[in-house]
Amino acid sequence: MQLHCIATGSTGNCYTLTSNNGETLILDCGIPIKEIKKGLNWNIRSVVGCIVSHAHSDHSKSVKDFETMGIPVFAPYISLEPMRIGMEFKIQAFDLTTVDGRWTHTNADGNECPCYGFLITHPEMGRMLYITDTELIKWRFKDINHILLGVNYDKDLIDRDNTGKANHVFRGHLSIDTACDFVKANYSDSLQ
């Protein structure tokens, strides 16, 4: 299984997982479809599906393009119906909320933004977690083989002079310390 980062950051996020038999799963599609195609070496035929964590355009910009091409899109903020993608990818979504059910990610106006993490299972790689744009992760998992986390800041290095930007980064995004704590809490001998 190959993981490839096409884009990451506030201008757009897009990753691919490609199996040895050539099936490719897109993890978030927050950049123009042309850039995604370029990142795939123009081999769009290998794409068996796309999962989208939340509605912000830096994660969902090309959803309509994938739907137009007939490629299945699993966006649990729209529909939570479970999905099997391609021949062997099995995808389970889970909410990224606090223990009292509040979403940890927000829109620009401060309202909560539904955001989901994914447990992706495939025979070649086992079980992988993909989690981004959350302040905390209340869930614990067993027998995870891989973890891909969107980590946005180190609390000791962030510019606190720009309070608007600092508040946005703190609210609904992982710090490196929280990410490390999550990995430790989910550690097992199977985690690579």
Side-chain angles (χ1 to χ4, degrees), residues 10 26 88 140 153 170 190:
S10 57
I26 305 288
E88 307 204 56
R140 296 295 174 258
Y153 68 96
F170 289 141
S190 61

Side-chain angles (χ1 to χ4, degrees), residues 36-67:
I36 295 172
K37 288 178 178 180
K38 206 185 303 181
L40 292 164
N41 292 321
W42 306 98
N43 183 10
I44 202 76
R45 286 184 181 195
S46 68
V47 177
V48 295
C50 176
I51 60 174
V52 185
S53 58
H54 62 291
H56 290 165
S57 66
D58 63 328
H59 292 266
S60 67
K61 182 183 286 277
S62 293
V63 164
K64 295 274 187 247
D65 296 301
F66 281 109
E67 290 172 340

Side-chain angles (χ1 to χ4, degrees), residues 109-124:
D109 63 5
N111 288 325
E112 294 178 3
C113 174
C115 189
Y116 291 83
F118 298 94
L119 173 60
I120 305 164
T121 307
H122 191 282
E124 284 182 28

Side-chain angles (χ1 to χ4, degrees), residues 54-176:
H54 62 291
H56 290 165
S57 66
D58 63 328
H59 292 266
S60 67
K61 182 183 286 277
S62 293
V63 164
K64 295 274 187 247
D65 296 301
F66 281 109
E67 290 172 340
T68 299
M69 290 185 282
I71 294 171
V73 174
F74 182 32
Y77 59 91
I78 297 171
S79 170
L80 266 173
E81 191 169 315
M83 183 175 243
R84 183 177 211 89
I85 295 180
M87 296 297 290
E88 307 204 56
F89 283 105
K90 183 179 172 196
I91 314 295
Q92 292 176 284
F94 51 91
D95 63 277
L96 295 172
T97 58
T98 61
V99 287
D100 61 356
R102 287 184 14 262
W103 297 101
T104 67
H105 199 54
T106 58
N107 297 314
D109 63 5
N111 288 325
E112 294 178 3
C113 174
C115 189
Y116 291 83
F118 298 94
L119 173 60
I120 305 164
T121 307
H122 191 282
E124 284 182 28
M125 69 170 186
R127 297 160 40 99
M128 181 181 119
L129 292 172
Y130 173 56
I131 302 169
T132 189
D133 286 26
T134 187
E135 202 171 322
L136 56 90
I137 307 162
K138 66 182 178 183
W139 305 106
R140 296 295 174 258
F141 300 86
K142 291 184 180 202
D143 302 321
I144 296 299
N145 305 104
H146 309 278
I147 300 175
L148 177 58
L149 298 174
V151 178
N152 294 72
Y153 68 96
D154 180 328
K155 66 182 181 349
D156 298 328
L157 298 178
I158 194 152
D159 178 9
R160 295 173 195 271
D161 294 336
N162 183 348
T163 55
K165 182 172 174 130
N167 286 339
H168 171 72
V169 170
F170 289 141
R171 179 79 172 114
H173 295 94
L174 274 180
S175 72
I176 188 68

